[in-house]
Amino acid sequence: MYNPTVIDHFKNPRNVGGLPDPDGEGYAENSVCGDAMTLYLRVTDGRIAEAKFKTFGCAAAIAASSALTEMLKGCSIDEALNIRKEDVAEALGGLPPTKLDCSVLAEDAVRAAV
């Protein structure tokens, strides 16, 4: 059901955890399935220097959170706001149609954090 990239991000998630005194913190949840994500951002010189997450959810939600944090590093705030659910799904090499809502969770968390 999941491709090797999704499985890798699920089994070896990048940037898990919180940040003390983050510059931005956003929470998003999917009321349909119960997945929830908190995204923490550290901004230096107008760019995202560090991004971490805590996610409660399925493999796709955790993989999407992990991929998102990798995508955010080095982005300006405007660039981060332009990341869409399709970008997250593409970075993972695709998600099953029934799991695309997990990439929406990531998009919503970015908007909440910035």
Side-chain angles (χ1 to χ4, degrees):
M1 178 163 162
Y2 294 119
N3 69 53
T5 303
V6 173
I7 292 169
D8 181 51
H9 273 279
F10 170 66
K11 289 185 174 181
N12 306 293
R14 287 71 155 168
N15 310 302
V16 175
L19 282 174
D21 300 317
D23 297 311
E25 180 178 329
Y27 177 80
E29 65 181 84
N30 182 329
S31 60
V32 174
C33 67
D35 292 349
M37 175 187 184
T38 303
L39 177 67
Y40 306 89
L41 302 176
R42 173 104 47 238
V43 179
T44 304
D45 298 326
R47 298 228 167 246
I48 297 172
E50 196 171 3
K52 293 201 169 215
F53 76 94
K54 292 181 182 177
T55 294
F56 173 82
C58 66
I62 292 168
S65 301
S66 174
L68 174 67
T69 59
E70 291 291 290
M71 295 170 69
L72 287 170
K73 290 180 183 177
C75 286
S76 69
I77 298 302
D78 288 339
E79 291 167 338
L81 288 171
N82 284 322
I83 294 174
R84 299 287 180 244
K85 65 181 185 249
E86 296 86 4
D87 301 322
V88 177
E90 184 179 316
L92 289 168
L95 288 170
T98 58
K99 293 297 182 175
L100 284 176
D101 60 326
C102 298
S103 59
V104 174
L105 189 70
E107 181 180 334
D108 291 347
V110 171
R111 294 197 182 13
V114 297

